[in-house]
């Protein structure tokens, strides 16, 4: 399986059929270079998209992931992996306690907010 990590365009740029043209061009290259690859997987962020682009191009919905979260600290968005429990010991030693969970520690920190999303749709394209 090959994962399509990101497809995005500038908000002011519209290229009709751009994704389908890129995909159509890429599939023969993938099959030539990676003959063992039998599918392409990708996802759409349910906060930003309905995923229609993938369905219109032959992808099928495999599943919808559970909601996830990120952190906002002092007004700046951070990936949740930056706030793993192992990182919190050095980031917030005054709140760190090995007996507490990540959530218990981060809930004590001022100006740190956990923001939940609505999950991702995961799509597959069989080659």
């Amino acid at each position: 399986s090959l994962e399509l990590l990101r497809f995005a365009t500038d908000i002011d740029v519209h290229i009709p059929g751009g994704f389908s043209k890129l995909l159509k061009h890429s599939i023969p290259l993938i099959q030539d270079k990676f003959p063992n690859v039998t599918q392409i997987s990708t996802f759409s962020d349910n906060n930003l998209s309905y995923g229609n682009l993938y369905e219109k191009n032959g992808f099928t919905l495999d599943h919808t992931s559970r909601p996830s979260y990120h952190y906002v600290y002092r007004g700046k968005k951070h990936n949740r992996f930056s706030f793993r429990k192992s990182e919190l010991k050095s980031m917030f030693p005054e709140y760190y306690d090995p007996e507490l969970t990540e959530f218990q520690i981060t809930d004590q920190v001022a100006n740190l907010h956990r923001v939940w999303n609505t999950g991702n749709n995961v799509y597959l394209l069989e080659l």
Side-chain angles (χ1 to χ4, degrees):
S1 168
L2 183 108
E3 183 178 6
L4 172 60
L5 292 176
R6 180 101 50 244
F7 177 76
T9 59
D10 186 292
I11 196 163
D12 295 326
V13 175
H14 182 71
I15 303 170
F19 177 80
S20 61
K21 290 173 186 172
L22 286 170
L23 183 64
K24 184 178 177 180
H25 178 77
S26 299
I27 288 175
L29 297 174
I30 292 167
Q31 291 173 322
D32 183 50
K33 279 253 192 225
F34 307 100
N36 293 335
V37 171
T38 59
Q39 72 179 200
I40 298 173
S41 64
T42 192
F43 67 91
S44 63
D45 181 334
N46 291 336
N47 287 351
L48 304 174
S49 167
Y50 295 113
N52 329 28
L53 174 75
Y54 299 118
E55 291 176 4
K56 287 179 182 177
N57 285 280
F59 287 78
T60 56
L61 178 64
D62 185 61
H63 67 279
T64 299
S65 69
R66 294 185 323 206
S68 187
Y69 61 93
H70 63 270
Y71 284 101
V72 175
Y73 183 54
R74 295 182 176 164
K76 185 177 176 191
K77 182 179 176 180
H78 298 271
N79 187 296
R80 65 188 172 100
F81 294 109
S82 302
F83 286 79
R84 292 185 311 269
K85 185 175 176 180
S86 59
E87 304 297 319
L88 296 175
K89 186 174 186 177
S90 61
M91 293 171 73
F92 305 109
E94 65 276 25
Y95 298 109
Y96 184 82
D97 178 338
E99 300 298 317
L100 298 178
T101 67
E102 169 196 327
F103 282 17
Q104 291 170 320
I105 297 167
T106 55
D107 285 348
Q108 299 176 62
V109 180
N111 298 309
L112 177 61
H113 307 281
R114 188 177 314 107
V115 180
W116 291 87
N117 69 20
T118 55
N120 297 315
N121 284 338
V122 179
Y123 292 93
L124 299 175
L125 176 68
E126 300 299 327
L127 299 180

